[in-house]
Amino acid sequence: MPIATPEVYAEMLDRAKAGKFAYPAINVTSTQTLHAALRGFAEAESDGIVQISTGGAEFLGGQYNKDMVTGAVALAEFAHIVAAKYDITVALHTDHCPKDKLDGYVRPLLDVSAERVAKGLNPLFQSHMWDGSAETLADNLAIGQELLAKAAAAKIILEVEITPTGGEEDGVTHEINDELYTTVDDALRTAEALGLGEKGRYLLAASFGNVHGVYKPGNVVLRPELLKDLQEGVGAKYGKAAGSQPFDFVFHGGSGSTAEEIATALENGVVKMNLDTDTQYAFTRPIVDHVFRNYDGVLKVDGEVGNKKVYDPRSWGKSAEGGMAKRVTEACANLRSSGTKLK
């Protein structure tokens, strides 16, 4: 069962929360990067999450028509086949989708899974993300209610981002400022609108100073201890036992985070952490090394014929897969998911 069923995905998230670890959620843009993610999980003996952003889906759809739904469905179907060869369980997820792309991405994908479920099959994706961080919180949560109902009907978990994450992700940009911190009031309004599981399960991307991309030390101030305040504030209002954690949190903009910041986030209910920037670099770096070492072979310099063995995409593609897989295994270790795969 390499692609998680809805029940198994829920079990994965429950185990992560109880065990104080999180799953790396690896953005993929090709069959190669998909294999790199799967290989990294397998080598770490960790289950995990593979995700496709709107930009990634557009790229996968081909540059002729750049159709996001085609690209996402195609890679998901491919994943259902090839993941069977890996001794781990993975969930398929779609990353950041803003309001203007819902009709061209998440809503059609929810329909695809709803049709599958109506036929007695499992959904194609296990979760989808609605990124309403550019909207007012009221509008964000109103759309979230609609999407959560559709997701629950299709046996899918919804991820919501209620307040901005800094930096840039697939064209969605937020400044790095004091607005990058979710308040207890934001969390209470979210619980009131979306419930705490009774309306459908969801993952919550709260902001505690997170920034997409890579920044030098000192430019980003993370406060993962804020997540504890959100858990306790909502728990107190809804009568949860002391120490309980109502929310399943997602850590966005985690590239370059310290071990201490990650550990604090895990203790406070983070079950999923997105990785894209670091794995992009880990994939590309071996390709650059290959080109520099084989310059006269990958190019037909001064009228020569080059060297087919080194410009064959397989020659550098294998190294790229290995480089990214290694970074995924490191992420599993950092998030304490190594060796925790479902038996």
Side-chain angles (χ1 to χ4, degrees):
M1 187 172 50
I3 301 296
T5 65
E7 296 76 17
V8 168
Y9 189 29
E11 181 185 353
M12 285 171 57
L13 297 174
D14 289 342
R15 292 177 69 246
K17 197 167 186 179
K20 303 295 183 184
F21 66 88
Y23 297 106
I26 308 299
N27 282 68
V28 297
T29 56
S30 65
T31 57
Q32 270 190 301
T33 52
L34 171 66
H35 275 296
L38 295 173
R39 174 179 166 184
F41 288 136
E43 290 178 350
E45 297 187 344
S46 169
D47 301 317
I49 299 169
V50 171
Q51 58 189 27
I52 307 172
S53 67
T54 55
E58 183 180 272
F59 181 77
L60 284 159
Q63 299 309 290
Y64 182 72
N65 57 28
K66 300 182 179 180
D67 185 77
M68 293 186 292
V69 173
T70 297
V73 169
L75 193 68
E77 294 282 10
F78 182 82
H80 276 262
I81 295 172
V82 299
K85 300 299 181 180
Y86 294 85
D87 189 24
I88 40 95
T89 305
V90 293
L92 304 179
H93 176 79
T94 60
D95 200 12
H96 293 269
C97 184
K99 183 178 179 179
D100 63 344
K101 294 183 179 180
L102 284 173
D103 286 341
Y105 197 47
V106 165
R107 287 191 177 111
L109 290 175
L110 283 170
D111 291 340
V112 168
S113 285
E115 291 173 6
R116 288 170 61 98
V117 170
K119 296 175 183 177
L121 303 173
N122 288 316
L124 184 61
F125 284 86
Q126 287 64 60
S127 52
H128 292 296
M129 181 184 176
W130 151 233
D131 182 355
S133 59
E135 314 302 321
T136 65
L137 185 56
D139 289 345
N140 185 340
L141 294 174
I143 294 173
Q145 288 175 316
E146 171 230 330
L147 295 174
L148 182 60
K150 291 182 177 179
K155 300 183 178 180
I156 288 171
I157 293 172
L158 185 70
E159 179 181 333
V160 295
E161 182 167 354
I162 57 170
T163 45
T165 295
E168 189 272 335
E169 177 83 3
D170 273 348
V172 178
T173 303
H174 293 293
E175 292 183 4
I176 303 174
N177 56 36
D178 290 342
E179 293 182 5
L180 303 185
Y181 300 93
T182 302
T183 67
V184 172
D185 182 63
D186 296 331
L188 287 169
R189 291 175 64 186
T190 300
E192 181 180 357
L194 303 182
L196 291 174
E198 70 278 7
K199 299 179 182 181
R201 187 165 188 171
Y202 61 93
L203 304 173
L204 181 61
S207 305
F208 50 97
N210 320 59
V211 176
H212 291 126
V214 175
Y215 294 82
K216 291 183 179 180
N219 286 1
V220 177
V221 180
L222 287 178
R223 293 172 48 203
E225 65 278 4
L226 174 67
L227 299 178
K228 182 179 180 181
D229 297 338
L230 305 183
Q231 299 279 30
E232 291 181 348
V234 171
K237 178 170 181 179
Y238 287 88
K240 301 293 183 181
S244 66
Q245 297 181 332
F247 291 125
D248 298 327
F249 282 129
V250 180
F251 191 154
H252 283 242
S255 297
S257 301
T258 67
E260 291 77 15
E261 289 166 341
I262 292 173
T264 300
L266 297 178
E267 292 297 324
N268 292 325
V270 165
V271 296
K272 172 181 180 280
M273 179 173 169
N274 292 9
L275 272 89
D276 189 14
T277 304
D278 285 358
T279 50
Q280 286 176 344
Y281 183 79
F283 183 85
T284 301
R285 182 64 182 81
I287 300 174
V288 175
D289 181 70
H290 177 88
V291 171
F292 283 173
R293 290 176 182 273
N294 299 281
Y295 186 82
D296 291 344
V298 296
L299 296 177
K300 297 180 180 181
V301 178
D302 295 332
E304 294 298 324
V305 296
N307 182 347
K308 183 180 183 300
K309 290 184 178 180
V310 296
Y311 63 71
D312 182 334
R314 291 169 293 185
S315 65
W316 49 262
K318 293 174 183 177
S319 297
E321 178 188 309
M324 181 171 165
K326 181 180 178 181
R327 182 63 184 86
V328 173
T329 62
E330 292 174 3
C332 292
N334 292 338
L335 297 178
R336 307 174 183 167
S337 70
S338 300
T340 66
K341 70 175 183 177
L342 291 165
K343 305 302 182 184

